[in-house]
Every structure is written in C-alpha cells, then in structure tokens.
Amino acid sequence: MHKRRKFTLFKGAVFILCSLVFLVLTHNQCSPDKKQTSEEKRSELIQPAKWWEKLPRPVYANLEKVETSQEWFEVYRLTQDTYAIYEPFQFEEAISYLALGKKRAVVIDTGTGIGDLKQVINELTALPVSIVNTHTHWDHIGSNHQFKEIACFNDKDCIRKLQEGADTQRLLPSVTGDSIWKPLPEGFDSSTWKIPPVEPTSLLENGDLVDLGERTLEVIHTPGHSPGSVCLLDKKNKILFTGDTFFPGPLYAYPEDVNIEDYMASLQKLKDRMDEYDYLCSGHNDPWIKSEVIARVKKAFEEILEGKGEYKQDNGIRRYFFDGFDILIRADMIKN
Ligand SMILES: [Zn+2]
C-alpha cells in the first residue's frame, strides 16, 4: 500500500513536471503577440503605468448614473435628453454621447467598439438613431458598424478611415496588457477583434444643422487634431461636443494627422463663440467640463510654440503640463 502510494506520488510529480514543460513551450508559441505588445508599448508620457489608479475621476461622483445591462459601459445623464456613455476600463477612456430630440436621436461617436453600444442605445431610447462622428480615429468609430446611418465630415481622410476600419494587429495593443484593467466583455476575442469598414451615408459641411426635432446640432469644422474633426454645438442646452479637439487629458499635437496651425485656428474659432456654450462634452475622460478652458488651451499652444512652459521629454516627445489638460508635442516642432 505504502509503496503503491509512493509510486502514485512519483507519477503525479512526473505529470506536473510534464504539464509545466508543456505550459512553458506553448506560452513561448504565444510570444509573438506578447513581443508585439511590448514593442508597441507607448511611452510613459503617453500611457502612464497603472493609469487606472486615478479613477474614478472626480466629476463622475456629481453626475446621475444610469444602469444598463452592459457592464463594459458606464452611462451618465448630463441633461434631460443627453447621455454620456463612458468606457472606463480601457486606456482611451472613450466617451460617446446620445443626444435626444423630439423626432430622432444621434449618437456622437461610438467608442472603441469593445462593448455592445447598440444595446445600450436601445435601452436608452426608442427614437430612430443615427451616428455623427466628430472624427474617424479608431477609438471613436468602433461601433459605427452597428448602425445604418453614419455621418462624418466631408473630408477624404475622414471618409477613408471609415472605409478602412482597423485590423487586429493595429488594435491588439489596445486590448492587451496595461491597456485594460477589467475583464473584456464575455465573448470578446482580442485575437480576432477588428473594427469593420463602413461607408458614410451622409457627409457634413461646416455650418450644417443636424435637426433632431426641437433640438439642433450645428456642425463646426475644427481641423487640427485631424483634418476632418468637427465640434457639434447644441445651442439650446449650451453644450459643445468637442470630440478630441479638447478633452481633459494629454491633447495630441504630435501624430501625423495633427496640423498645429489648423488646430490653433480652430481653437480661436471656438473661443470666438464661447458665449454660446457653457459646458464641453469631450471625447475622452470627462464628459462635463466648464467651457472657459478653451481660451486657456489656445494660450497654452501659443506659449509652447514660443518656447515657454513646463514639460517632460521622452523619445523626442514632450508633455507640457497645464491646469486641467496637458499637451503632447514633438520636440522638433518647437523653436528652442
Ligand atoms: Zn482622435
């Protein structure tokens, strides 16, 4: 009996050892993904380690939270007929908005596409819904494919990005490693996930009015963050939906898409109309920001370009620090 037990123990040990060897080997087979993720790991200046430790952001404690069946999103009611749909578990902290009129509703941007946005919208309104994209970077168009009517600014770059979508290789770093801090939705497979291409069904021009029935959104072309970026002005509620033209985080002034001169001209355009809105609903982090910041962003860009301001630098990128926002810019874009 004793001997037999020893033999069983030995067999057990061999089994565990073999399992370990197998695990190590198969893990190595998975390493290309891992390597790709770490190679593409963004600078600490752009994606700080444990970025989620600063969550929840203080603003959310003062907003009315709305429960839905979709755990990936947090939904907040900003006004009687405006909702913010926030994705706090992924690094981008993308925010989409639902604006209701008397006749129809629009969804302003559609987030990363990780969760089931359409289901959330269905639970919030029975009105006919269409999409208006503030711009077509991947983290704003993720769920466009769930909807039939899609609008973006009439700009070839904007349209092309919608038509291209985004492939798994491009997206993988955003749903692995430190980009995520809560489980992805059930059934979500990051190894095959992609953002499907879509065709815009209508193209917007500067000054267009999107009529929702006793509520209109004015399209203000604000190139800079990307050539086809727009802000949407809701005069009735005195809200400006800014997309990525402003959000309270590091504003991106370094990628290829960005044109600083256009960006500053757009900020001036928004500054000139500051008496028409009190709050900004931004594309990331925080959905309810006092409008005064717009004037300070314009000034911040001017100061940076004059060689002023506090910054940290890594790999040719500088992060400048301001009250309520930062600016990421390439060092070679600045004179001194
Ligand atoms: Zn963007």
Side-chain angles (χ1 to χ4, degrees):
M1 192 75 181
H2 192 67
K3 228 178 176 180
R4 195 187 155 94
R5 194 166 158 231
K6 251 189 179 168
F7 182 67
T8 312
L9 275 175
F10 174 73
K11 267 205 315 198
V14 169
F15 176 73
I16 288 169
L17 194 68
C18 286
S19 304
L20 277 173
V21 168
F22 176 72
L23 273 175
V24 167
L25 283 174
T26 50
H27 186 74
N28 276 345
Q29 279 168 7
C30 295
S31 67
D33 285 356
K34 209 162 181 272
K35 193 166 158 238
Q36 180 196 28
T37 308
S38 59
E39 266 171 11
E40 291 187 16
K41 192 171 165 19
R42 289 186 266 193
S43 158
E44 274 275 313
L45 285 185
I46 301 168
Q47 182 167 329
K50 298 190 181 167
W51 54 271
W52 53 84
E53 285 183 344
K54 65 179 181 295
L55 305 184
R57 294 172 184 272
V59 64
Y60 290 98
N62 303 317
L63 299 175
E64 180 193 339
K65 195 169 181 189
V66 178
E67 293 305 325
T68 74
S69 65
Q70 301 300 300
E71 285 176 23
W72 180 253
F73 302 96
E74 285 183 7
V75 178
Y76 296 87
R77 192 175 204 169
L78 304 175
T79 72
Q80 182 70 21
D81 47 16
T82 313
Y83 296 87
I85 305 162
Y86 172 50
E87 299 179 56
F89 309 137
Q90 196 275 339
F91 168 66
E92 310 291 339
E93 288 182 69
I95 310 176
S96 311
Y97 295 90
L98 174 64
L100 308 177
K102 291 282 180 262
K103 287 190 186 144
R104 64 187 193 98
V106 291
V107 177
I108 299 166
D109 292 345
T110 60
T112 62
I114 293 171
D116 187 347
L117 182 68
K118 185 77 185 294
Q119 179 59 33
V120 173
I121 301 298
N122 287 345
E123 290 173 29
L124 296 174
T125 185
L127 290 167
V129 176
S130 66
I131 304 299
V132 175
N133 292 300
T134 63
H135 64 301
T136 53
H137 285 153
W138 76 268
D139 50 327
H140 296 256
I141 61 165
S143 292
N144 266 228
H145 67 98
Q146 291 189 299
F147 298 84
K148 286 200 182 93
E149 285 183 52
I150 300 166
C152 73
F153 192 71
N154 188 4
D155 168 85
K156 62 177 188 329
D157 166 83
C158 232
I159 298 166
R160 182 178 50 80
K161 283 196 166 67
L162 275 182
Q163 290 169 336
E164 283 175 0
D167 63 18
T168 304
Q169 195 190 4
R170 164 79 181 81
L171 296 169
L172 203 59
S174 299
V175 284
T176 48
D178 281 355
S179 292
I180 303 281
W181 67 287
K182 287 270 175 113
L184 290 157
E186 219 181 286
F188 181 92
D189 182 357
S190 45
S191 68
T192 57
W193 178 53
K194 53 181 100 146
I195 293 175
V198 291
E199 283 293 333
T201 54
S202 74
L203 298 174
L204 305 168
E205 302 288 350
N206 184 55
D208 279 359
L209 296 176
V210 181
D211 184 7
L212 308 180
E214 293 178 37
R215 185 183 194 184
T216 54
L217 301 175
E218 180 187 336
V219 176
I220 305 177
H221 185 212
T222 50
H225 173 81
S226 75
S229 287
V230 297
C231 292
L232 298 160
L233 177 62
D234 173 357
K235 283 190 202 176
K236 188 178 166 189
N237 291 295
K238 297 198 84 179
I239 297 171
L240 184 72
F241 297 93
T242 58
D244 283 358
T245 299
F246 179 79
F247 57 90
L251 298 171
Y252 285 23
Y254 73 91
E256 268 175 34
D257 272 5
V258 175
N259 180 310
I260 295 283
E261 276 172 27
D262 286 353
Y263 208 146
M264 289 178 61
S266 293
L267 288 164
Q268 183 62 48
K269 199 172 178 180
L270 296 178
K271 196 181 155 192
D272 291 343
R273 300 188 64 175
M274 274 175 75
D275 56 342
E276 293 177 81
Y277 53 90
D278 295 329
Y279 284 92
L280 311 175
C281 292
S282 86
H284 298 274
N285 304 347
D286 180 339
W288 199 242
I289 305 138
K290 287 206 176 102
S291 57
E292 59 78 32
V293 73
I294 289 294
R296 293 193 291 109
V297 181
K298 170 83 194 322
K299 194 158 169 272
F301 271 106
E302 285 164 0
E303 284 178 9
I304 290 172
L305 295 175
E306 284 165 16
K308 297 180 198 158
E310 302 253 316
Y311 66 86
K312 279 187 185 166
Q313 186 166 327
D314 181 25
N315 250 330
I317 302 283
R318 289 182 183 178
R319 182 167 178 157
Y320 283 81
F321 302 95
F322 298 93
D323 180 17
F325 63 96
D326 294 340
I327 292 175
L328 288 163
I329 195 163
R330 281 202 325 270
D332 63 21
M333 292 164 83
I334 297 152
K335 287 175 224 149
N336 17 354

